[in-house]
Amino acid sequence: MNILVIGSGGREHAIVCSLAASPLSDTIYVAPGNGGSAPGALNVSPAELDIKDHAAVVAFALAHKVELVVVGPEAPLVDGLADSARAAGLDCFGPGAAGAQLEGSKEFSKELMERHNIPTASFGSFTEAGSAHAYIDEQGAPIVVKADGLAAGKGVTVAATIEEAHAAVDECFDGRFGAAGATVVIEEFMTGPECSLLVFTDGTTVLPMAPAQDHKRALEGDEGPNTGGMGVYSPVPIVTNEEHATMLAYMEQTVAALRAEGIDYRGVLYGGFMLTPNGPKVLEFNARFGDPETQVILPRLTTDLVEVTRAVAQGRLSEIELVWDSAWAVSVVLASAGYPGDYETGKPITGIEAAEKLAGVTVYHAGTKLLEDNEACEDTECAAAVVTSGGRVLNVTALGATFEGALEQAYKAVELIDFEGKQYRRDIGARALKGRSAWE
Ligand code: AMP
Ligand code: GLY
């Protein structure tokens, strides 16, 4: 079957690699894709297909005999692309606009959890500054201020002082995040390690993936600004069986809550948890695969991803059994100098092939671009066909029989890859290796 994947990150490259490994997949169209490739996968450039134009996406899918649409990022989901695909009779992996509100609106998500008694930080939500400031004065610091809508991971301020919290509220209402900041959610500050639990769901059946732990801060020692994620590993050694069972129970409760409210949710539900001293609590939900979590989760999934995503889209997930490789997986993000702030692009990348010759190593492309035959690289001596085109450039994933082994192999591969300005965290997994006490 032909498949259309929407998105351009490392997550989408990992999804495409897993779909391409299935004997069921024929041509996989990736719109817009990046410099990464997979057997049978073809990029569809923005000039050929504007993914914001839902009618065009549907027309493309029908014209190319696509039987399954897989939507990677949150924005098209919140925008209702999955609704448009399903209305045209296409099978689609990803929730419609109503379900994607779990990620698209923090207020919606918090209120749903409140209605259904799903443990999360206590909160208030506000549409004008006066009452938000009064709430902060009443609650005190530390406290967390969040823009309601999608803000590319930049809408959250963990404020150590009430002054910082007041400033964050003003920033939201001053329009820094556009419409996404018109409502502000203010939350209780929670402590503990963070852990992501993603599940496949067709709205009824819930099948958990292995837990993963991201490193959100740009710099070693969890310092510096928040990023989309600088490295990740799976499974998560510091999570107890009891915590795992509790997180899964909350995910099942959330899917049941959506169903009870008449929302048909088909895709990935991503639970971001904090393992507090009082047990796991939900930090946030995402309506999609995590990035870079997917780059350590899918390589360990031995079940055919075409079968899984099609069963989700068709509401037949109860027929599927997920089987996981027992290996440990680690992924280190290589980023451009300056990320998450401003950075340069167009830097030639070398060493990817050598890195992938190492046992268990796969290099997923994120912010990369393949040079066209007639396109010159800015470096006239350049022999590389791939150049940087984004902040997070590559995700270097390694599988190993042990956590330490996977880490060592990932960093060996990282050393073989080069581009001007390459930056990465050298401490991915370091805290988890020390055990739970490293968070106390
Ligand atoms: P979010 O996008 O809502 O997951 O928030 C981004 C990051 O901010 C999270 O990964 C946490 O590190 C931090 N954060 C969010 N909410 C809270 C909270 N209530 N207490 C402490 N830290 C938080
Ligand atoms: N890695 C965090 C996210 O995908 O939201």
Side-chain angles (χ1 to χ4, degrees), residues 24-295:
L24 294 171
S25 68
D26 215 331
T27 303
I28 304 173
Y29 298 97
V30 197
N34 57 31
S37 58
L42 288 178
N43 280 358
V44 185
S45 73
E48 291 167 86
L49 179 59
D50 173 7
I51 60 171
K52 289 199 176 122
D53 181 346
H54 296 182
V57 173
V58 167
F60 179 94
L62 295 175
H64 293 81
K65 301 197 165 31
V66 163
E67 289 179 50
L68 174 68
V69 179
V70 177
V71 184
E74 59 277 18
L77 292 168
V78 171
D79 231 26
L81 180 57
D83 300 305
S84 305
R86 281 192 271 271
L90 293 160
D91 284 334
C92 184
F93 181 87
Q101 281 304 293
L102 266 188
E103 177 164 5
S105 165
K106 296 203 186 278
E107 182 184 43
F108 173 88
S109 150
K110 297 294 283 188
E111 287 179 350
L112 183 107
M113 288 187 264
E114 189 171 55
R115 282 195 296 280
H116 296 271
N117 298 314
I118 297 160
T120 184
S122 63
F123 73 104
S125 91
F126 306 91
T127 51
E128 56 87 30
S131 45
H133 289 304
Y135 184 78
I136 290 169
D137 287 332
E138 188 187 299
Q139 299 293 320
I143 193 160
V144 183
V145 178
K146 302 184 175 184
D148 175 63
L150 295 182
K154 298 190 178 90
V156 174
T157 303
V158 179
T161 63
I162 61 167
E163 288 74 24
E164 239 182 284
H166 287 308
V169 164
D170 290 336
E171 238 182 27
C172 279
F173 288 124
D174 282 350
R176 179 164 170 212
F177 304 113
T183 299
V184 172
V185 170
I186 304 180
E187 279 185 19
E188 166 200 4
F189 172 77
M190 303 191 291
T191 58
E194 288 179 45
C195 178
S196 309
L197 182 65
L198 284 68
V199 301
F200 289 107
T201 183
D202 59 2
T204 305
T205 300
V206 173
L207 296 184
M209 298 179 226
Q213 196 170 46
D214 193 5
H215 295 63
K216 291 210 166 138
R217 301 297 195 99
L219 306 177
E220 280 153 32
D222 294 321
E223 306 278 350
N226 262 322
T227 69
M230 292 300 290
V232 62
Y233 51 82
S234 175
V236 183
I238 57 148
V239 176
T240 66
N241 289 340
E242 190 188 349
E243 284 169 332
H244 189 267
T246 303
M247 289 191 288
L248 180 54
Y250 296 165
M251 297 304 285
E252 286 167 343
Q253 226 177 310
T254 306
V255 170
L258 289 165
R259 194 170 61 245
E261 300 206 1
I263 294 175
D264 180 9
Y265 193 104
R266 302 176 186 212
V268 171
L269 180 61
Y270 168 134
F273 288 91
M274 194 161 259
L275 308 177
T276 78
N278 301 318
K281 290 190 183 180
V282 177
L283 273 172
E284 61 161 354
F285 288 117
N286 294 323
R288 49 162 176 90
F289 276 115
D291 188 349
E293 286 87 341
T294 306
Q295 293 88 301

Side-chain angles (χ1 to χ4, degrees), residues 431 436-440:
R431 210 165 169 188
R436 190 68 175 248
S437 60
W439 272 269
E440 278 150 17

